[in-house]
Amino acid sequence: RALEIDPQYSYAWTHLGNAGGGEVQGQQYTKKQCYVRALEIDPRNSNAWINLGTQGGGEVQGQQYTHKQCYVRALEIDPRNSNAWHILGTLGGVEVQGQQYTKKLCYVRALEIDPRNSNAWINLGTQGGGEVQGQPYTKKQCYVRALEIDPRNSNAWHILGTLGGVEVQGQQYTEKQCYVRALEIDPQNSNAWHI
């Protein structure tokens, strides 16, 4: 409805894309087309850049952007976007404004901005742990932090099982109990069944 009133409202285009796309003034738009439209109106809309990245990138104002370039654009606009840092870590790291960031540094950066990002904690754990806000974390401590934030994270339970068990929020879990917990949460977790 907002776009019927003001078709130049960038954030409404972003929200329409988030809703899966839709019809505006008789024309159908896909998710990707909504994000491109939002960026043509306001190229500083960092959320639209992230969302365009999730769609594999696209052409904005005559220039083609890969999915990774979309996330970098989002960070150039908003360097405190935890989600963009985390995604760039999963893509192998990146150079932002002339500085190189490894996967691990991207996860650390994401967690310094949003320490409640449980997936970033898991990914930092896969990198062997690291220092977040001056505090060192082992890989096991990273997975425990992920569970303290999201106790229903099946992958964290599985990984902690492979590490021999753990204490989470004052309760001790054996290796087997970690696997069982992972399967209670996600019976389709083939890794937990495999072990």
Side-chain angles (χ1 to χ4, degrees):
R1 178 91 178 108
L3 289 171
E4 298 291 338
I5 297 167
D6 181 6
Q8 297 299 306
Y9 187 32
S10 176
Y11 288 94
W13 281 104
T14 303
H15 291 295
L16 183 61
N18 293 345
E23 187 176 314
V24 177
Q25 297 179 341
Q27 185 175 343
Q28 192 66 33
Y29 291 88
T30 65
K31 291 168 73 164
K32 187 174 194 170
Q33 289 170 325
C34 290
Y35 302 136
V36 168
R37 186 76 186 104
L39 291 166
E40 287 172 344
I41 294 165
D42 179 9
R44 296 199 51 77
N45 181 335
S46 65
N47 287 329
W49 280 111
I50 288 175
N51 293 334
L52 184 59
T54 66
Q55 297 301 302
E59 186 176 317
V60 177
Q61 296 177 339
Q63 184 174 342
Q64 190 64 38
Y65 292 88
T66 67
H67 66 294
K68 195 169 189 176
Q69 289 170 323
C70 290
Y71 301 125
V72 171
R73 278 294 295 133
L75 286 177
E76 289 170 349
I77 294 162
D78 178 11
R80 295 201 42 82
N81 191 311
S82 174
N83 193 28
W85 282 110
H86 178 242
I87 292 168
L88 285 166
T90 65
L91 294 174
V94 69
E95 184 178 313
V96 177
Q97 296 177 337
Q99 184 172 344
Q100 189 63 40
Y101 292 87
T102 63
K103 290 168 76 161
K104 185 175 192 169
L105 286 176
C106 287
Y107 300 138
V108 167
R109 192 75 188 99
L111 290 167
E112 287 173 342
I113 295 163
D114 179 10
R116 300 212 34 88
N117 185 332
S118 65
N119 288 325
W121 280 110
I122 288 174
N123 287 329
L124 183 59
T126 65
Q127 296 300 302
E131 189 172 305
V132 177
Q133 295 176 340
Q135 169 86 27
Y137 291 89
T138 65
K139 73 191 240 179
K140 195 169 193 175
Q141 289 170 323
C142 289
Y143 300 128
V144 170
R145 277 296 293 133
L147 286 178
E148 289 170 347
I149 295 162
D150 179 10
R152 297 199 45 80
N153 191 311
S154 176
N155 288 330
W157 283 109
H158 166 255
I159 293 167
L160 285 166
T162 66
L163 296 175
V166 69
E167 182 179 316
V168 178
Q169 295 178 336
Q171 185 172 343
Q172 187 64 41
Y173 294 87
T174 66
E175 175 181 353
K176 183 177 179 178
Q177 288 171 319
C178 289
Y179 295 134
V180 168
R181 190 76 186 104
L183 291 169
E184 287 172 347
I185 295 164
D186 180 8
Q188 302 303 312
N189 188 330
S190 60
N191 290 326
W193 281 109
H194 177 71
I195 303 296

